[in-house]
Amino acid sequence: MRYLTAGESHGKQLTTIIEGIPSHLPLLREQINESLIRRQGGYGRGKRMQIEKDLVEITSGVRHGYTLGSPITLVVSNDDFKHWTDIMGEDPLPEDTQKIRRTVTKPRPGHADLNGGMKYGHRDMRNVLERSSARETAARVGAGAVAKVLLKELGIEVTGYVREIAGIVSDVDENLTLQQRREISEASPVRTFDEKAAEKMMHAIDEAKKEGDSIGGVTEVYVEGMPPGIGSYVQYDRKLDAKIAGSVMSINAYKGVEFGIGFEAARRNGSEVHDEILWSEERGYYRRTNRLGGFEGGMTTGMPIVVKGVMKPIPTLYKPLQSVDIETKEPFNASIERSDSCAVPAASVVMEHIVAFELAKAITDEFPADYFPRLKRAVDDYRKEVREF
Ligand code: EPS
């Protein structure tokens, strides 16, 4: 499985082409829309999300509610494009239209503007920001939504929520099931568990907005139902935790990834880190604890996967930071027209879908995956085999 996305933030549309989804998987447009709508929400979003209503059109690869095994194309229109038809149109503009172009010569610290401009020779850095914008995550959520449908049919569930915003930590009872995590976070405006922490987070978002600043946080994805032994220890590039980490790091504004207790493992003795192995007739092999977050040796253990990602504050700020105009080389204080003050709740939905795609990809790499019923039989047989190991 693989996918590509295309589209500029204020261009006509976002497009996702997904390759490698087995045939005969039941798939409905509404299942993808549900994910897209979840991504648009969360306390701290700016004005752009009031303009957009992300709904998908499936233009290939699905017929009469089932996948064909051929590439699936998803299209999400940018409703804001109607305000940007000249600025973002594909046709050449007359010479004296500098105003219409809304040329960007002032790079924002923390964004891709300056490095991307230097790399691609874009002296109008709009050509960079249009593509580096986190608008693109809508296209990635589309791919992840299809992956989630495949996983669900195989008894694997994935959910994402917020653990921390601006240093305010929301504790989670480790015994909560995936379903409980999903229901509680879905009902929270900041997609988290602890109501007191949620109040404080919303206050911090209000304060950041007032001050023209932005704030970041930590998102967590929790997975139940992955069979053990997915991924591999035999070669570096087959380790599934490494693939997930790389993928999470590719989400806009992400700066770090942890599995289970993560960096805390550096501070504990081995006896306080590793998860003891138990066996029962009812469960087969399982672990007393899950400090390693569902991975050993680059492979799943069969315990829930618990992975955290760190999102830095969004670099588009109302509060000016110093930068340099690339035309005049004069210093200036960067300021902008609109931004999200906090996109951490939305990012937790993005991360859920990014992780789901990697898991579905790992499953389809591991088992025969052209025809969904055959894939399902293979996964069921494997589950039985490892249980009796
Ligand atoms: C973004 C800037 C804002 C966000 C956008 C990401 O958009 P605009 O430049 O149109 O005000 O709303 O996020 C989305 C559009 C989205 O769908 O998540 C940026 O610069 O990265």
Side-chain angles (χ1 to χ4, degrees), residues 113-134:
D113 305 345
L114 182 59
N115 311 322
M118 291 191 289
K119 179 174 169 61
Y120 288 96
H122 289 313
R123 296 200 63 79
D124 177 1
M125 289 176 293
R126 171 161 306 286
N127 294 329
V128 178
L129 72 87
E130 283 292 337
R131 181 61 185 156
S132 63
S133 162

Side-chain angles (χ1 to χ4, degrees), residues 48-341:
R48 175 76 188 272
M49 284 307 103
Q50 292 162 21
I51 298 172
E52 302 298 338
K53 179 125 182 76
D54 292 344
L55 294 173
V56 77
E57 196 186 338
I58 302 177
T59 61
S60 79
V62 179
R63 188 167 174 239
H64 303 160
Y66 285 87
T67 56
L68 302 177
S70 50
I72 297 172
T73 307
L74 310 178
V75 171
V76 177
S77 298
N78 287 324
D79 290 344
D80 205 14
F81 177 65
K82 57 181 177 287
H83 305 122
W84 294 76
T85 46
D86 286 336
I87 305 164
M88 293 305 294
E90 70 267 43
D91 292 329
L93 284 174
E95 274 309 306
D96 57 344
T97 51
Q98 203 53 24
K99 228 174 142 192
I100 293 179
R101 283 171 206 271
R102 285 190 48 185
T103 304
V104 176
T105 60
K106 298 175 166 66
R108 291 160 295 173
H111 223 286
D113 305 345
L114 182 59
N115 311 322
M118 291 191 289
K119 179 174 169 61
Y120 288 96
H122 289 313
R123 296 200 63 79
D124 177 1
M125 289 176 293
R126 171 161 306 286
N127 294 329
V128 178
L129 72 87
E130 283 292 337
R131 181 61 185 156
S132 63
S133 162
R135 176 79 186 135
E136 190 261 354
T137 59
R140 300 188 73 184
V141 164
V146 176
K148 277 186 64 181
V149 172
L150 183 141
L151 292 172
K152 192 173 176 161
E153 292 283 333
L154 297 172
I156 303 161
E157 297 267 6
V158 187
T159 196
Y161 42 80
V162 169
R163 286 299 302 274
E164 188 173 328
I165 288 179
I168 302 150
V169 179
S170 169
D171 286 325
V172 49
D173 173 358
E174 269 182 43
N175 297 319
L176 285 183
T177 63
L178 183 138
Q179 196 51 35
Q180 289 168 321
R181 287 168 200 247
R182 179 177 286 156
E183 277 165 21
I184 300 169
S185 62
E186 216 53 49
S188 158
V190 279
R191 300 188 51 78
T192 202
F193 304 100
D194 176 341
E195 276 183 33
K196 278 206 182 105
E199 287 297 328
K200 285 187 194 157
M201 287 172 180
M202 287 190 274
H203 181 68
I205 294 169
D206 291 341
E207 287 299 303
K209 199 168 179 179
K210 240 189 271 168
E211 286 164 26
D213 222 326
S214 60
I215 49 182
V218 177
T219 55
E220 183 168 282
V221 172
Y222 187 87
V223 184
E224 271 178 7
M226 273 297 274
I230 306 300
S232 179
Y233 63 93
V234 305
Q235 199 63 266
Y236 68 93
D237 61 354
R238 293 178 60 190
K239 297 185 185 210
L240 180 55
D241 46 0
K243 291 184 195 182
I244 292 173
S247 203
V248 170
M249 282 296 288
S250 78
I251 304 171
N252 307 47
Y254 272 65
K255 302 303 282 182
V257 184
E258 280 187 345
F259 286 88
I261 60 169
F263 276 41
E264 174 62 21
R267 299 171 208 124
R268 295 192 191 178
N269 290 347
S271 55
E272 294 298 311
V273 170
H274 299 291
D275 302 305
E276 288 181 308
I277 301 172
L278 308 176
W279 185 90
S280 76
E281 191 74 51
E282 190 198 347
R283 291 179 67 179
Y285 295 97
Y286 66 99
R287 308 303 163 103
R288 192 190 298 282
T289 50
N290 188 26
R291 297 164 184 145
L292 295 183
F295 279 99
E296 282 171 349
M299 298 165 293
T300 50
T301 60
M303 292 294 284
I305 295 174
V306 189
V307 51
K308 286 194 186 74
V310 180
M311 186 193 198
K312 70 177 177 179
I314 284 173
T316 311
L317 304 178
Y318 291 91
K319 187 179 192 162
L321 280 188
Q322 194 179 320
S323 181
V324 176
D325 189 310
I326 63 163
E327 287 305 327
T328 63
K329 305 292 189 285
E330 292 291 323
F332 76 99
N333 284 327
S335 65
I336 53 96
E337 291 159 39
R338 68 179 184 200
S339 172
D340 304 327
S341 46

